[in-house]
Amino acid sequence: SPSDFTPVVAPTAVCSGSTFQLQADSNLSNVQWETGLSGSVLSFNAPEIEGVYVYTYSALLNGCTVSDSSEIEVNGPPTLDLGDDLFLCENEDVVISGPVGNFIYTWSTGDTEQFIELTAGSLPFGSNQIALTVIDTLGCSGTDSLFVQVEECLNTPNLAAEAGSLIYPNPCNSKIWFVAPQVAEKNSLIRIYTPAGQLVQEQFAVDAAVDVSALSRGLYILTVVSNNPAIPVMFLKN
C-alpha cells in the first residue's frame, strides 16, 4: 500500500553552512524533492540562517504517489567574544576566558581549557594574535581572536616620574606636545591605550606632537616606541 514505506532518514539538527544527507525509502521511484533535486539519497547544504527548515519529496510506490517530509533545525556557530585587544608590560600577566558551556576549547597557544593565563615573558615583544576555536556538542564551531601588545615598559619609580614630565599639557584637549623633542623623534611611533589595555590610537609623531582630538574624554596611557624601551605616560583627555 502507499503507506508501506520507510520515513525519510535525516538528522534532527545540523550546523549552518554544513552538508547533510537525506535518504528516502529505496523502494520508491521517481523521488522528487521540493528543492528541485531528484534521487533517493541526496546531500544538501544547510542554510546560513538559523531556524527550522522542512524538506519534502514526492515519489511513486506501486503506481501510487506518496510524499514525506522532514524538519531539520539549523543551528548557528557558538557565540564567543574574547574582548578588546590588550597591552602588557614585560612583567605583567592576564587571564583570558572563553565562553561558558559544554565546548571543546582549542587555543592558538595549544591550551584546551576555558581559561588561559598569558604572561608577557612568554610572548615576544610586539603584537601577538591569540585565537580560540570552540566546538559545541552538535559539532558547530566558532572562532574569535584578539591581539596582545607586549612592550618593554619603564617600571622603576625614577623613570616613571621622568616619563610623566615628558608631555604637556596634561590634562589636554586636542594635542599633546613632548617637552624633549628627542623623546618623540620624527620616526617614533606613538601608541595610546585605555587603562584596560585596549589600543585606541597609533600614529607617528609630527613635530614632537600628537593629535588626540578624536579621543573621548577619559584617562589614557601613551607610549613612545623607538629604539629605546617604550615609555608609558598617563594623561587625561578633557
Side-chain angles (χ1 to χ4, degrees):
S1 70
S3 60
D4 251 348
F5 65 96
T6 304
V8 61
V9 178
T12 56
V14 296
C15 303
S16 60
S18 66
T19 301
F20 63 94
Q21 191 176 81
L22 297 180
Q23 181 175 343
D25 192 315
S26 59
N27 294 317
L28 300 176
S29 61
N30 195 29
V31 179
Q32 302 290 330
W33 297 86
E34 281 189 350
T35 59
L37 299 175
S38 61
S40 297
V41 181
L42 289 178
S43 294
F44 293 85
N45 292 321
E48 294 291 341
I49 300 176
E50 296 181 67
V52 177
Y53 294 82
V54 179
Y55 293 81
T56 303
Y57 73 82
S58 62
L60 294 178
L61 177 63
N62 299 326
C64 298
T65 299
V66 296
S67 64
D68 193 16
S69 62
S70 178
E71 286 190 354
I72 297 178
E73 180 181 359
V74 175
N75 294 296
T79 300
L80 68 157
D81 182 5
L82 296 182
D84 298 325
D85 295 339
L86 300 172
F87 173 85
L88 294 180
C89 290
E90 76 277 9
N91 60 343
E92 296 178 324
D93 56 28
V94 66
V95 174
I96 304 176
S97 173
V100 177
N102 189 12
F103 298 113
I104 297 173
Y105 301 90
T106 304
W107 294 87
S108 57
T109 57
D111 295 280
T112 57
E113 302 296 329
Q114 178 188 351
F115 300 91
I116 61 168
E117 182 176 5
L118 296 176
T119 60
S122 66
L123 298 172
F125 289 121
S127 183
N128 300 270
Q129 185 176 24
I130 305 298
L132 169 64
T133 297
V134 297
I135 302 176
D136 62 19
T137 54
L138 193 61
C140 304
S141 64
T143 300
D144 191 30
S145 65
L146 55 74
F147 286 91
V148 179
Q149 183 74 28
V150 180
E151 300 287 359
E152 187 180 359
C153 305
L154 298 179
N155 52 16
T156 64
N158 289 339
L159 288 175
E162 179 184 344
S165 65
L166 294 177
I167 64 172
Y168 75 95
N170 190 7
C172 63
N173 292 316
S174 59
K175 229 172 192 182
I176 290 177
W177 279 268
F178 295 88
V179 175
Q182 65 268 27
V183 174
E185 299 168 345
K186 183 177 180 181
N187 294 325
S188 293
L189 182 63
I190 310 299
R191 294 193 179 111
I192 298 177
Y193 301 86
T194 65
Q198 178 187 5
L199 178 65
V200 292
Q201 185 170 319
E202 183 177 69
Q203 68 184 81
F204 288 96
V206 178
D207 297 328
V210 59
D211 186 348
V212 295
S213 58
L215 296 178
S216 303
R217 296 179 60 184
L219 194 64
Y220 295 92
I221 299 170
L222 176 150
T223 64
V224 180
V225 183
S226 61
N227 293 329
N228 300 311
I231 302 173
V233 182
M234 188 166 287
F235 70 93
L236 181 65
K237 168 67 164 53
N238 291 327

